[in-house]
Amino acid sequence: LSTQCGGEPMSYTRFSIARQMDGDNSHVEMKLSADDEEGGETGRPEHLHASMPPPRRSGKNLCFQIIAAVLLLLIGFVIGYLSYRGRMQKASRCLDGSGNCEMTPTASYLADGDETEAEEVPGPPVLYWPDLKNLLSNKLSATHLEDYLRQRANKDSFEAGQTEDESSASSIHDQFVSFHLDEVWNDEHYIKLQVKGSNNNRVSVLEDGEEKEELESPSAYVAYSKTGSVAGKPVYVNYGLKADFQKIQKWGVSLNGTIIIFRAGKITLAEKVANAKEAGAVGALMYLDPSDYRNTDELVPFGHAHLGTGDPFTPGFPSFNHTQFPPVESSGLPRIVVQTISSQAAGRLFSKMVGGEECLPEWKGGVMGCKVMPSSTSKMTVKLSVNNVMVDRKILNIFGAIKGFEEPDRYVVIGAQRDSWGPGAAKAGVGTAMLLELARVISDIVKNDGYKPRRSIIFASWSAGEYGAVGATEWLEGYSASLHAKAFTYINLDAAVLGSNHMKISASPLLYTLLERTMKGVDDPVKNSRSLYDRVGTDWVKTVVPLGLDNAAFPFLAYAGIPVVSFGFCSKGEEYPFLGTTQDTVENLKKNDNLYALMRAAAEVAGQIALRLTHDHELFLDFERYSEELLAFQKLFLPYYRDVKALGLTLNWLFFARGDFQRATDALRKDITNSDRENKIVRRALNDRIMKVEYDFLSPYLSPKDAPFRHIFFGKGSYTLQSLLENLQLLKASRDSVDVNILKEQLALVTWTIKGAANALAGDIWNTDNEF
């Protein structure tokens, strides 16, 4: 080989043939030598008669060294390739949903010490996702759920900050401790609530200014109503939707100084009241119509009229005891007098509206004799007297936590409202029972079955939910600086069972994919042979209900920019009749078939979502889904392109921003695909980019104090995509009705919010720019 490279032999063969003097035998001696033998005499070969002249040779052959180096490199490359291929196969199994991707959990790289990469933590056998899912399903107990729900039986009220609410808080705290959660703590808030005064509010009928009859004096009340007495002509406006008010105003009816009557449903009471106030009304009455709420003729619901969430007297500020509150009030306070009445009282009121115009066919409900208003010559009016009072209350939020083993400072929050004006079995009891059962089961899986969640799980019991998610909102306001960077999902358990034959789903698009996969893995409690996914069908996303102000998940999404999911069972085309009334009892709730099986199924959905989000290397948030949502809005905007152009404006920049977001999602997916998922630092950086997608859709150009719900998809205000669409529709219908400056501002806010989200998703500042 060496000679072929141009060198000379490095050794030669020496033969020695000699006859031994003491015998006839001879032998042949062969010896390999590279140099003269050192054992012979100096300058004299050992076998002169058979020696060969020493060859000429080079000291070190470069060619031989190169070949050896190449061989070593080839061996190293093969070993490295096989190792990388093995890791990628495990990662692909994680992504394809087979569940065989779990690696032994490792310590956080943020742990004390100088090492960049912490050593793996020895532990029990690894739990793969299918095993973990089965553990959850096997351990969830309908019996336990029944026991927890029974704790609300025989109780009349759990009003926020009162004895029963505090007793329930203490019980939940003790149960969290008994479940051996890693941390259990309370969070105190000092808030202002409006409660019923010493006397019931009154609704009466006047004739020519004189009280003729007391219509009703219910024990229920509407929190944050304006107090005092007002009188006005009654006008019925169906559900109190904007479209309902627009329809009646087209008839030339003035609503200034009137008392508006509407039935419950479709939108929240606070939104109905805001519409009435905008129309010029001085008061509002709401009732439960029998066509929507069966067997409620005599029931009067409680409610609140604050168009917002949290304490309306500390808007944008946390209600801690040591906070110096500015003298401001929420702009969402109604400023008109509001009260709820029974459908019986509404029927009697309609009968007093003699000679009035009959209701439209689509406005007629289950109350007989529906009238829009009295006759023009009638002197009949309605007097509404409200004497609610303001009180200062201390409320408690109760928390328990299971800490993650790799990223304890990243967490999913599972929460449920605890308080209720009445017994609150459906409103608060079901969610609280599910919260306790999930805390018990997941803690047991961690402590006894060896599951080591990568991220933390927080269980939260909220107070003052009846007043507009006050407890949850104050917590968000108190810790907003850190929560948006640490909490990556909120799972709402409130009112999870209001029926049995239908499902109501509200969620951030980031969680659609995970929710769909979860429903495929949970059995339908009504039809055991099918999954929940079989019930909702392949087009279930089209049935997703937008989050309303009455959902505790709303401030997490629209105020804090945290992805949310709210999931529950209901009856199609029929409301649960007792929600928010004194008849929301365990006995009435048990009239639902398979109540505890339904609760267990809803808990399994919530539990699977929480566990999956703490199990996988990559956060199971579908950030690419928002590209589809933006594209859907672009298609809705396109018909108005020429109308906008006629004003000297353009929709192009908005469309370009959408394209930039699409490219940013493609780039992030490419980064994830090409990354080493076993590198904890890289994995954390990628997950941080994923979990900030929701937050980046909060418009940064608005003050959280003045516009708390800044999410351009799900917020409330002129800066949302929906509001922009409505303004474009108005532009096409009546160009003179549109303020061009407001339209310009809407386009700018939406465009730059989307562009900012694209830049944030792209990663580091040197990978972004403001070019469209």
Side-chain angles (χ1 to χ4, degrees), residues 584-636:
D584 185 10
T585 62
V586 175
E587 289 71 25
N588 280 329
L589 184 60
K590 286 169 68 175
K591 293 177 182 177
N592 282 313
D593 295 333
N594 305 308
L595 170 62
Y596 299 111
L598 291 165
M599 289 174 63
R600 187 193 172 284
E604 188 170 357
V605 170
Q608 277 202 33
I609 291 173
L611 289 175
R612 194 65 188 263
L613 288 168
T614 61
H615 172 277
D616 292 358
H617 290 80
E618 180 186 332
L619 276 180
F620 209 129
L621 298 176
D622 188 0
F623 56 88
E624 293 166 299
R625 178 72 72 160
Y626 265 119
S627 291
E628 300 175 24
E629 299 293 320
L630 286 169
L631 185 59
F633 266 106
Q634 179 169 316
K635 291 177 180 178
L636 294 174

Side-chain angles (χ1 to χ4, degrees), residues 337-403:
V337 180
V338 188
Q339 179 58 43
T340 49
I341 58 175
S342 67
S343 60
Q344 282 187 350
R348 292 197 301 273
L349 180 55
F350 286 144
S351 69
K352 305 292 182 184
M353 296 160 65
V354 179
E357 188 171 344
E358 293 285 334
C359 292
L360 297 171
E362 62 269 25
W363 282 23
K364 291 182 179 180
V367 177
M368 299 298 293
C370 177
K371 301 281 199 317
V372 174
M373 67 186 78
S375 67
S376 58
T377 59
S378 173
K379 296 182 179 181
M380 174 259 191
T381 57
V382 172
K383 182 180 180 181
L384 178 54
S385 299
V386 172
N387 57 4
N388 299 344
V389 295
M390 297 300 303
V391 295
D392 292 317
R393 291 261 177 91
K394 181 184 79 170
I395 61 170
L396 296 174
N397 293 328
I398 311 300
F399 299 95
I402 295 174
K403 292 184 178 179

